[in-house]
Amino acid sequence: MESRPLLIVDGANVVGSRPDGWWRDRAGAAARLRDRLVPLAARGLPPELPGPAEVLLVVEGAARDVPGRPEVRTVAAPGSGDDTIVALVRDAPDRRRLVVTADRELRTRVTALGAEVQGPTWLRAHTTGAT
């Protein structure tokens, strides 16, 4: 059984939380976010989520083909990114799960399954560069 905490990042929501031109290159914005998540796999996000952690970046739409890295697995949502995130949370009931999103409905859905939630601003405070 996997014991590392699971950090699930709602890629579209986090990227879309800042009007920095991400809409001109959605895949590029998702890849930049993925790269900023790499250090979190080893160190986690103390004190909220100590490392090491398994980091998943859920991507959808034009960012669906962004490849993962050894430290950050990208999960291409076949439909709704929110439904994919809920499924990931549901499929890991025995692990600590932290979802990063500002989406209110998604927050309600994952907390009902026992996950913790933080927003994009919290994530930006723990990563290098703007997300």
Side-chain angles (χ1 to χ4, degrees), residues 55-115:
V55 181
L56 305 179
L57 174 62
V58 176
V59 293
E60 58 186 293
R64 186 174 283 124
D65 294 328
V66 171
R69 292 184 50 171
E71 306 89 344
V72 178
R73 181 166 56 113
T74 57
V75 178
S80 160
D82 290 3
D83 290 344
T84 298
I85 291 168
V86 169
L88 291 167
V89 168
R90 186 182 311 114
D91 290 346
D94 297 327
R95 294 175 70 183
R96 182 170 179 199
R97 297 144 303 162
L98 192 149
V99 175
V100 179
T101 187
D103 182 303
R104 288 183 186 178
E105 181 182 339
L106 179 57
R107 284 173 170 257
T108 300
R109 292 173 69 190
V110 298
T111 56
L113 295 170

